Amino acid sequence: MHFTHIWNKFNLHGHKVILFILLVGCGFKGYTQNTKRINLANYDDKKINYGFLLGGHSSKFRIEYSDAFASLDLDSIHSIVPANLGGFKLGFVVNFHLFQYLDFRVLPTVGFYQNSLTYRYTDGTTLSELRDPTFVELPLMLKYKSVRRGNTRMYLLGGINPSIRAAGKGEDDEEKLLIKSTNLAIEIGVGFDLYQPLFKFSPELRYSYGLVNVLQDKQNIFSAGLRKVTTHNLTFYITFEGGPSELKSHNNKR
């Protein structure tokens, strides 16, 4: 039985998280020290703010073998190995200000994924199974913000991400690995708000951990040795929040 503890799963990308925090944190420290003007001083007091986001992610399946994997019927398969593959996301930001340091965010997003499993056989041959679905996602996140220092603020966020498959070539082909059209994940992340004269720019790193088994009950040669398949991905986002009201306010101050 193949099983990996959740902490080890998060540590898979741990070095990337640490590198992100160190690089971004050091860069923003210098940015704050060199910035005297306070941009968008009252922006976070608004009840609702809007924006958009762009993201690039690395995603992979996590698998658990079934008892059938050790049976004589599947003795020709040595192992099934998931691969890390890239993709990207596009979406919108709707931010609701709740309290001084707490926001609620709705982030409708379209995610373009690639997930692959490589079947390694005892005779040395391999077979790769690629899934490339497009998912419509609706992350619902709580954002906890630190005290603002100059034009910089750090934040943590977490929440759930329900999603539904929108498109994917051959996703329901019975000669492929059969994956469900819905998913649910829990997400946690860290980021920095950088306040510019006309908008707020925020680099963010977010980890997504799939909560449900996306493997369909219907079995074929690709799923016979599997009991559970979940999704995991690490995404770097860039969000932009602001709009015409900030431009008008900026022009009035000139």
Side-chain angles (χ1 to χ4, degrees):
M1 181 71 67
H2 175 77
F3 180 78
T4 306
H5 193 275
I6 181 174
W7 180 251
N8 292 330
K9 294 179 179 179
F10 182 78
N11 282 343
L12 174 68
H13 300 292
H15 65 286
K16 299 178 183 178
V17 175
I18 295 173
L19 182 62
F20 168 81
I21 295 174
L22 291 177
L23 292 178
V24 177
C26 291
F28 292 170
K29 181 179 180 181
Y31 174 86
T32 303
Q33 292 175 344
N34 295 330
T35 303
K36 296 181 179 180
R37 178 177 178 178
I38 301 300
N39 299 321
L40 305 177
N42 301 315
Y43 182 83
D44 289 329
D45 295 332
K46 296 165 59 176
K47 291 298 183 181
I48 303 178
N49 291 315
Y50 302 95
F52 66 94
L53 61 85
L54 304 171
H57 64 254
S58 173
S59 64
K60 69 182 302 182
F61 284 142
R62 291 291 183 181
I63 67 170
E64 291 183 18
Y65 292 115
S66 66
D67 293 338
F69 180 78
S71 67
L72 294 177
D73 293 335
L74 299 177
D75 62 354
S76 61
I77 302 179
H78 175 270
S79 59
I80 303 174
V81 182
N84 269 313
L85 296 175
F88 65 97
K89 298 183 179 183
L90 304 170
F92 296 98
V93 177
V94 183
N95 189 89
F96 300 90
H97 178 65
L98 301 179
F99 305 106
Q100 183 177 3
Y101 299 118
L102 186 66
D103 293 345
F104 176 68
R105 294 165 74 80
V106 180
L107 308 165
T109 305
V110 177
F112 301 89
Y113 290 88
Q114 284 191 328
N115 298 105
S116 176
L117 294 178
T118 298
Y119 296 77
R120 296 178 177 177
Y121 294 91
T122 54
D123 61 2
T125 60
T126 61
L127 176 64
S128 293
E129 175 62 5
L130 178 67
R131 306 281 77 197
D132 57 350
T134 299
F135 273 87
V136 176
E137 305 174 346
L138 189 64
L140 306 174
M141 314 289 291
L142 286 175
K143 176 181 178 180
Y144 179 74
K145 304 173 292 186
S146 70
V147 175
R148 177 172 173 172
R149 300 187 182 280
N151 289 321
T152 305
R153 186 199 297 270
M154 183 179 178
Y155 63 85
L156 302 173
L157 75 166
I160 60 172
N161 181 10
S163 60
I164 183 169
R165 192 176 72 215
K169 184 178 180 181
E171 290 297 322
D172 295 319
D173 187 344
E174 293 191 0
E175 296 183 358
K176 299 285 187 177
L177 179 68
L178 297 176
I179 299 299
K180 295 177 181 177
S181 60
T182 59
N183 193 18
L184 178 67
I186 186 170
E187 299 195 352
I188 56 174
V190 60
F192 293 86
D193 287 331
L194 286 179
Y195 297 82
Q196 308 298 323
L198 301 180
F199 60 90
K200 184 171 69 173
F201 165 77
S202 304
E204 175 185 309
L205 192 66
R206 200 189 309 165
Y207 177 71
S208 177
Y209 177 88
L211 296 176
V212 300
N213 184 6
V214 297
L215 190 66
Q216 290 190 20
D217 295 333
K218 184 185 299 185
Q219 287 196 347
N220 57 20
I221 60 172
F222 293 100
S223 59
L226 299 174
R227 186 184 73 85
K228 186 177 182 180
V229 176
T230 56
T231 58
H232 298 257
N233 66 79
L234 184 71
T235 307
F236 176 72
Y237 291 97
I238 297 177
T239 66
F240 297 88
E241 297 177 57
S245 60
E246 281 65 49
L247 178 60
K248 181 179 180 180
S249 176
H250 177 74
N251 290 335
N252 290 337
K253 293 178 181 180
R254 296 179 59 181

